[in-house]
Amino acid sequence: MIRAVIIDVDDTLCMTEAASFVLENEVLAAMGRPPMTRELHLATWGDPLLEAMPKRSPGLDLDVFGTLFQTIMERHVAEGRLDVIPEENLRALDALIEADRSVLLLTSRAESEVRHMLEPGHAVASRVSGAYHRDNTRYGKPDPRAFDELLAHTGLSPAQCVYVGDSPGDAVAAGGAGMAFIACMQSGVRRLEDFDGRHVTATIDAFPEVVPVVERLSRTPG
């Protein structure tokens, strides 16, 4: 029986890569630096932001970038340009909860990058029972120990959980932890052949499909 659905944020719960490309180039422009190409952004997508940016803009002052990024990101969020979660995805979360399953987030983002989604009044905050990010976990994906704090805090076993994500690293982490993994292919950033099939339990083309897939997996013995 699957008791918890753990969800990645970027390009799973909401489509992020394209919006982040625009945001990060706006920060670079504010610093007087040339824009990165979309190809470079895609090639480094999935790396923690401050690890990826030196590859995207060599010689970048990360302290200045980090300060400007926070300010501009908050404006993009307020303007509805970043972390927009479609109503159909929110309805899917509601359906999971109605089926008596906990919904948790596990993301590679830093706390500052996910804080706004956890504030009272945000559509996500009222639907998730826990959020795990780079600042409250000791290990990051693809290390299977990325789930250690979540499992310890909830008392759940890996067999009671399923992780939904969009990257090969998500799959490796879940598989290594002994969890089922659902690959969400909606963003088009990755292809199924990018994944190690040993770690992919099921695939979905759009996030709302998670509801019937989790129900099916929950009824499948073993």
Side-chain angles (χ1 to χ4, degrees), residues 52-64:
M53 287 312 301
K55 305 171 192 174
R56 296 170 179 169
S57 184
L60 182 70
D61 185 322
L62 288 177
D63 289 335
V64 174

Side-chain angles (χ1 to χ4, degrees), residues 197-211:
R198 294 174 298 176
H199 302 309
V200 177
T201 311
T203 62
I204 54 177
D205 293 322
F207 182 78
E209 296 172 20
V210 72
V211 177

